[in-house]
Amino acid sequence: MSLTSVNAENIRAAFIAGAHNLSNNKEYINELNVFPVPDGDTGTNMTLTIMSAASEIEAVANPTMDLLSKAISGGSLRGARGNSGVILSQLFRGFCRDIKGKETLDVNDLTAAFARAVETAYKAVMKPKEGTILTVAKGIYDKAAELCDYEDDVISFSEQIIEHGDNVLAHTPELLPVLKEAGVVDSGGQGLMEFLRGALAGLKGETIELAEGIPSQPARGAGLLEEIPKKPSGSGNDNISTADIKFGYCTEFIILLDKELTDKQVSEFKAYLTSIGDSIVCVADEELVKVHVHTNHPGLAFEKALTYGGLTRMKIDNMREEHSERVSMEEEKRRAEEQEAAFQEMKYRNKPAAEETPAEPVELKKYGFIAVSVGDAMEETEKSLGIDYVISGGQTMNPSTEDILSAVEKVNAENVFVFPNNKNIILAANQAAAICEDKKIHVIPTKSVPQGISAVLSFAEDMSPEENIEAMTEAISAVKSGEVTYAVRDTSVDGKEIKNGDIMGISDKGIDVVGTSVDEVTTSLIEGMVDEDSGLITLYYGSDVSKEDAEKLCDALTEKFDELEVELHEGGQPIYYYIVSVE
């Protein structure tokens, strides 16, 4: 079979087949997890992301490239979960931006679309790592660029770039030592290859049905990856870092464009903003550009922006002004109670009733709060501190961009602070912030529930959003977090041999302690986190720990660390015996 070009129907069939193939192999991809915790989720996140787009595509009755582009880009963007899902959605976004307006695609068009996809995905990640899905995507584009000069058959072209992509994937352990130690490839890259294999089948006219039973190992192309263990452990969760606020003026404005910016101009403008500041949000469409930057020279940002068009909604806040005295704990508790009461009232007023007269809308308040966590007791703790809405999720189930946007809609506030409480949710939260138009979303890059709690406790009603962001960012930097869970497979990480069923103590740095006793591992983990500046140890015990056992451990820790305060709270979280923090 050969094709010199593909139309919208071909792309539709290819995408759906690719989505189904990725979904059918999600459990295998989940097993590609360097850290042998019982929550490997790269395959799940990528599947939920792509199936969101597939649902949009299936609803398109008479597909055109424009309609498909909108369905794929919008569906994956809103359905994106976890870092792997967000990066996948950005690959699709770039690809779709390049194919819009075309009737058919030949190998040159596909190569140009691959280039845009890779460029868009790399831009979405603050500190891209090689040896990940990004490396595999770039390798595919490089091969496409090589082939397009002499290959005009789309099927042969696709077969060759997939073979090359498998080779690039097989070499990811050489780029990331943690993969090499575990003896596996990158899980995000594996997910991308499963999609492409399915998409090729779709181009050939083959149908891939969604499987009810998930195979433990997918079929491999060209005999590649034969040395990969049947039950390995890889990585798809890029560590996305967010810079601390260190520039004095929070500067915001909108550019009313004289004409639409090219991708190169957008890239150059973002690079310029990076050279004069940080905490940058720059979202461009055909008519305007929305800009947020922390800088010591707002005038420079304005002058550069004026070269593209007129300015409106200009706003500058001096973040170095002396902060107002923080509210007392009593005032904090009162504020939390008032916010919870307002939230409950809003839920009651929005509850449909057949015979009731619709209530007047609740007045928009200045600040609202959203947190991600799991466990009923943990949720109650967060709500008692003033969190308006808790999204159920975490490592085992990363909420999507759409989940976060839906939560924002439920919070009756002008400014909404979002606490992702997991490094694999921060990127989706940032994506939600870029999409939302009617409210200002401020993502505080919390990587654990204890960090989220510390952040909300540092909030002050009488401070500006920028001042609160600075205070919260400073607060979370002082919190060390840890988790105690069990291993689900044999592996080796950071020189530690880990057996299935071992108990692991995981800190912000990685797996610190391995043992067979929950109490001993928890104690050793905390011992490694405590230093001369520490004053408080907090434990949240999970659903698999009895209150009696947790109290015994708390008493032992109080005796061992007699100069520190030790607090115990019920968390109710699954999978993790204890979540701990040291401040």
Side-chain angles (χ1 to χ4, degrees):
M1 178 182 180
S2 63
L3 288 172
T4 56
S5 65
V6 292
N7 58 25
E9 285 286 1
N10 298 135
I11 294 295
R12 182 180 189 271
F15 190 92
I16 291 175
H20 287 182
N21 197 58
L22 175 55
S23 177
N24 292 347
N25 292 300
K26 69 180 178 183
E27 293 304 328
Y28 172 74
I29 297 166
N30 280 342
E31 290 175 351
L32 293 173
N33 209 14
V34 165
F35 294 101
V37 295
D39 57 10
D41 55 8
T42 301
T44 300
N45 284 337
M46 295 183 78
T47 294
L48 291 171
T49 299
I50 203 168
M51 291 308 293
S52 175
S55 296
E56 296 283 338
I57 289 175
E58 288 171 342
V60 178
N62 300 303
T64 64
M65 288 296 183
D66 283 357
L67 290 175
L68 287 182
S69 296
K70 184 177 180 181
I72 294 171
S73 182
S76 61
L77 192 70
R78 289 181 171 272
R81 297 173 188 263
N83 294 340
S84 55
V86 171
I87 292 171
L88 184 66
S89 75
Q90 291 297 314
L91 286 169
F92 291 145
R93 177 171 175 252
F95 184 92
C96 289
R97 288 181 69 184
D98 208 75
I99 68 173
K100 282 173 60 178
K102 297 178 180 178
E103 295 292 330
T104 61
L105 306 174
D106 59 19
V107 293
N108 290 302
D109 296 321
L110 290 170
T111 299
F114 290 156
R116 178 73 72 92
V118 171
E119 179 187 10
T120 303
Y122 267 89
K123 285 180 181 177
V125 180
M126 288 294 293
K127 294 183 179 180
K129 283 185 179 179
E130 295 304 332
T132 66
I133 183 175
L134 293 171
T135 303
V136 177
K138 185 175 183 300
I140 288 168
Y141 161 67
D142 289 341
K143 186 63 175 181
E146 173 191 325
L147 291 171
C148 70
D149 289 336
Y150 60 86
E151 178 65 74
D152 60 3
D153 176 20
V154 173
I155 299 299
S156 175
F157 172 81
S158 300
E159 289 173 340
Q160 291 178 73
I161 64 172
I162 287 175
E163 181 180 356
H164 183 73
D166 279 332
N167 277 311
V168 175
L169 176 65
H171 285 89
T172 54
E174 302 302 320
L175 300 174
L176 273 182
V178 68
L179 297 178
K180 188 171 186 177
E181 183 180 6
V184 296
V185 298
D186 175 69
S187 57
Q190 184 72 59
L192 178 60
M193 294 311 303
E194 297 307 334
F195 167 75
L196 291 175
R197 260 187 281 279
L200 175 58
L203 281 180
K204 291 179 177 180
E206 301 173 19
T207 300
I208 298 180
E209 300 291 345
L210 278 175
E212 294 183 6
I214 304 301
S216 61
Q217 176 115 350
R220 298 283 160 241
L224 295 171
L225 311 181
E226 293 177 350
E227 297 181 0
I228 298 176
K230 186 174 182 180
K231 285 202 163 190
S233 51
S235 169
N237 300 339
D238 296 332
N239 186 15
I240 310 298
S241 300
T242 303
D244 292 333
I245 298 174
K246 53 189 177 184
F247 294 88
Y249 297 94
C250 177
T251 307
E252 295 179 274
F253 55 91
I254 291 176
I255 310 172
L256 302 175
L257 294 173
D258 293 332
K259 60 180 180 179
E260 183 181 358
L261 298 183
T262 64
D263 287 341
K264 182 179 180 182
Q265 287 175 313
V266 173
S267 179
E268 288 173 349
F269 184 47
K270 287 181 178 179
Y272 179 79
L273 293 175
T274 302
S275 72
I276 63 169
D278 69 0
S279 297
I280 294 162
V281 176
C282 181
V283 181
D285 64 15
E286 293 82 1
E287 298 179 351
L288 56 84
V289 181
K290 182 178 181 181
V291 179
H292 170 280
V293 59
H294 291 178
T295 178
N296 289 326
H297 304 285
L300 295 179
F302 290 151
E303 288 177 10
K304 182 66 174 179
L306 284 168
T307 64
Y308 303 122
L311 304 185
T312 185
R313 298 189 186 180
M314 294 173 287
K315 177 174 173 287
I316 301 174
D317 289 319
N318 186 342
M319 297 189 296
R320 292 195 177 110
E321 290 179 347
E322 185 177 354
H323 289 174
S324 302
E325 185 178 352
R326 302 291 172 85
V327 293
S328 65
M329 288 302 294
E330 289 77 17
E331 290 172 329
E332 184 69 33
K333 182 178 180 181
R334 173 188 57 77
R335 181 193 61 77
E337 290 172 349
E338 288 177 351
Q339 288 188 340
E340 176 63 15
F343 177 60
Q344 295 299 333
E345 179 184 2
M346 181 179 69
K347 289 202 301 183
Y348 174 78
R349 291 187 181 185
N350 289 334
K351 183 178 180 181
E355 299 180 359
E356 290 181 2
T357 302
E360 292 294 325
V362 179
E363 183 181 355
L364 199 68
K365 59 184 180 179
K366 185 176 181 180
Y367 292 119
F369 305 88
I370 293 172
V372 181
S373 73
V374 64
D376 292 340
M378 192 74 79
E379 181 175 335
E380 289 303 313
T381 297
E382 291 181 313
K383 285 187 174 180
S384 72
L385 295 173
I387 300 296
D388 296 290
Y389 192 92
V390 177
I391 303 173
S392 181
Q395 274 295 96
T396 53
M397 179 55 71
N398 298 151
S400 67
T401 298
E402 180 66 30
D403 292 334
I404 296 169
L405 288 170
S406 296
V408 170
E409 289 179 6
K410 294 179 175 68
V411 176
N412 191 46
E414 177 186 353
N415 293 274
V416 181
F417 292 98
V418 177
F419 307 112
N421 293 341
N422 187 292
K423 69 180 183 181
N424 206 33
I425 302 174
I426 294 173
L427 205 55
N430 286 336
Q431 191 155 269
I435 293 174
C436 188
E437 297 179 351
D438 59 337
K439 296 177 183 177
K440 295 187 67 174
I441 301 178
H442 308 282
V443 179
I444 308 302
T446 55
K447 297 179 181 179
S448 66
V449 171
Q451 283 190 348
I453 289 174
S454 180
V456 76
L457 286 174
S458 71
F459 170 79
E461 186 77 37
D462 57 351
M463 293 200 306
S464 69
E466 291 72 28
E467 289 173 326
N468 273 305
I469 290 170
E470 186 174 13
M472 291 177 181
T473 303
E474 182 179 350
I476 65 176
S477 67
V479 179
K480 298 177 184 178
S481 302
E483 301 155 333
V484 179
T485 187
Y486 56 93
V488 294
R489 64 181 66 90
D490 297 350
T491 188
S492 174
V493 179
D494 295 335
K496 297 180 177 64
E497 292 297 325
I498 301 170
K499 301 297 182 183
N500 186 12
D502 280 350
I503 307 301
M504 302 179 297
I506 306 171
S507 73
D508 298 328
K509 298 177 291 185
I511 299 176
D512 280 357
V513 186
V514 178
T516 57
S517 164
V518 172
D519 285 5
E520 289 177 3
V521 168
T522 305
T523 301
S524 296
L525 174 67
I526 293 172
E527 194 169 20
M529 295 165 65
V530 168
D531 59 27
E532 68 242 9
D533 297 324
S534 302
L536 173 65
I537 299 170
T538 306
L539 288 86
Y540 300 89
Y541 63 93
S543 57
D544 293 327
V545 178
S546 68
K547 182 178 180 181
E548 180 182 5
D549 287 344
E551 288 176 343
K552 287 181 181 178
L553 176 59
C554 183
D555 290 341
L557 291 171
T558 300
E559 183 176 348
K560 181 176 180 64
F561 302 101
D562 55 358
E563 294 183 357
L564 279 68
E565 184 179 353
V566 181
E567 291 185 357
L568 177 67
H569 301 281
E570 181 184 4
Q573 70 275 1
I575 296 179
Y576 295 95
Y577 300 111
Y578 290 99
I579 294 175
V580 303
S581 69
V582 176
E583 302 175 57

